[in-house]
Amino acid sequence: MEHLPKKIYHDGISYTLVGDYYIPDLKLPEESRPIWRWGRMHKAFLQEHRPGQYNDLLLSGKLWTYLADLNEQAADRLACIISQMQVAEGVTEELKAYDQLAWVRAMNSIRSRAEEIIRAEMIYV
């Protein structure tokens, strides 16, 4: 039997000899950014309702990057919506100093509505 090389390079992919077969040396890109809340929610949505898109992202190695980008965009959008709603509804630092309970109620209401907007616009689509 002839001796086969341990590693070969063909069509831009390197292969390693394992037993009698050459296995491609494939590596996923490393992404160090976390996906946090919004990324996890969208990942669960993709798995449940868009399995084709989920598998395409997973097999191409772009899933983690996609989810990390979406998480950053959702967090930025949430902060923007909250600040706009605060201005529109007159929830200011003076209210916080004068009546903390009213300020907390207003901020909880604003945050809840802003999160619902994010879920409708970015996560469950």
Side-chain angles (χ1 to χ4, degrees), residues 3-61:
H3 178 56
L4 297 172
K6 291 283 185 193
K7 290 203 174 267
I8 61 171
Y9 189 78
H10 182 68
D11 289 335
I13 301 174
S14 65
Y15 296 85
T16 302
L17 183 65
V18 178
D20 293 337
Y21 300 98
Y22 282 105
I23 308 293
D25 297 329
L26 301 176
K27 293 182 182 176
L28 292 175
E30 293 191 25
E31 177 66 56
S32 61
R33 295 180 298 163
I35 60 171
W36 299 115
R37 176 184 182 192
W38 302 113
R40 287 192 316 269
M41 288 172 73
H42 191 64
K43 180 183 176 195
F45 173 77
L46 289 176
Q47 286 176 313
E48 180 79 21
H49 300 284
R50 306 275 192 278
Q53 183 183 4
Y54 175 78
N55 286 329
D56 180 45
L57 288 167
L58 182 64
L59 295 174
S60 67

Side-chain angles (χ1 to χ4, degrees), residues 8 11 25 29 39 47 69 77 81 83 88 92 95-96 121:
I8 61 171
D11 289 335
D25 297 329
Q47 286 176 313
D69 289 343
R77 178 92 170 106
I81 291 172
S83 67
T92 62
L95 177 63
K96 184 178 180 181
E121 287 181 353

Side-chain angles (χ1 to χ4, degrees), residues 49-82:
H49 300 284
R50 306 275 192 278
Q53 183 183 4
Y54 175 78
N55 286 329
D56 180 45
L57 288 167
L58 182 64
L59 295 174
S60 67
K62 297 177 183 174
L63 178 65
W64 199 265
T65 303
Y66 170 78
L67 294 174
D69 289 343
L70 181 121
N71 185 71
E72 289 174 4
Q73 292 169 6
D76 291 343
R77 178 92 170 106
L78 180 68
C80 179
I81 291 172
I82 287 174

Side-chain angles (χ1 to χ4, degrees), residues 37-38 41 78 81-82 85 108-121 123:
R37 176 184 182 192
W38 302 113
M41 288 172 73
L78 180 68
I81 291 172
I82 287 174
M85 285 181 155
N108 284 343
S109 174
I110 288 171
R111 183 167 191 84
S112 175
R113 289 179 284 148
E115 287 176 355
E116 188 61 36
I117 291 169
I118 296 298
R119 282 191 288 273
E121 287 181 353
I123 305 303

